[in-house]
């Protein structure tokens, strides 16, 4: 019998949101990547586009190293910059296990730093079952 695997849903990521009209925004995602639901994003200062938040500053994408938002939908931006719906401010509670980090965020201390940056925006990650 084949194994069925369900894609993550918004309910897997978003556990509490006080007011979607206040917490959400539509932004432009940088081209060249397919962004999964729950992507931890940083804002590129020069272009105001968002990308996966790297562990350290990347030349040309300065500012994105600070995690400021989480993507609320899967978005394919491989062929060009596209809009995406984010949660940009809290109070919001997110499932820690549903967050997707940039590949450069590969150390526990870097992950903690990203979660701390999100918490400063009111986006609190919690371990859920």
């Amino acid at each position: 019998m084949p194994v069925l695997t369900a894609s993550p849903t918004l309910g897997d990521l978003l556990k509490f949101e006080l007011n979607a009209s206040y917490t959400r925004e539509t932004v432009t995602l940088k081209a060249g990547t397919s962004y999964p639901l729950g992507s931890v994003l940083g804002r590129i200062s020069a272009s105001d586009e968002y990308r996966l938040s790297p562990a350290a500053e990347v030349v040309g994408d300065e500012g994105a190293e600070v995690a400021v938002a989480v993507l609320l939908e899967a978005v394919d931006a491989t062929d060009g910059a596209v809009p995406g719906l984010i949660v940009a401010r809290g109070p919001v509670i997110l499932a820690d296990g549903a967050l997707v980090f940039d590949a450069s965020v590969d150390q526990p201390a870097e992950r903690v730093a990203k979660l701390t940056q999100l918490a400063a925006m009111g986006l609190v990650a919690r371990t859920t079952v």
Side-chain angles (χ1 to χ4, degrees):
M1 177 178 279
V3 176
L4 301 177
T5 305
S7 298
T9 66
L10 185 57
D12 296 326
L13 170 68
L14 191 60
K15 298 303 178 182
F16 172 81
E17 180 179 32
L18 184 62
N19 183 343
S21 295
Y22 173 73
T23 61
R24 297 180 186 191
E25 292 182 16
T26 299
V27 298
T28 303
L29 299 171
K30 183 180 177 181
T33 303
S34 181
Y35 297 89
L37 169 82
S39 294
V40 175
L41 304 174
R43 186 180 64 79
I44 302 167
S45 301
S47 65
D48 278 339
E49 290 182 331
Y50 286 71
R51 61 158 283 176
L52 283 163
S53 183
E57 185 175 293
V58 174
V59 175
D61 287 351
E62 289 86 358
E65 68 278 1
V66 178
V68 296
V70 175
L71 189 62
L72 294 178
E73 59 187 351
V75 176
D76 184 3
T78 53
D79 294 332
V82 295
L85 182 65
I86 64 167
V87 62
R89 67 190 67 80
V92 169
I93 297 175
L94 303 160
D96 181 285
L99 295 175
V100 178
F101 295 90
D102 184 73
S104 66
V105 181
D106 57 0
Q107 298 298 314
E110 294 167 343
R111 183 180 169 99
V112 168
K114 295 297 173 197
L115 295 175
T116 301
Q117 293 164 357
L118 290 175
M121 305 302 293
L123 309 177
V124 179
R126 294 281 185 247
T127 302
T128 60
V129 285

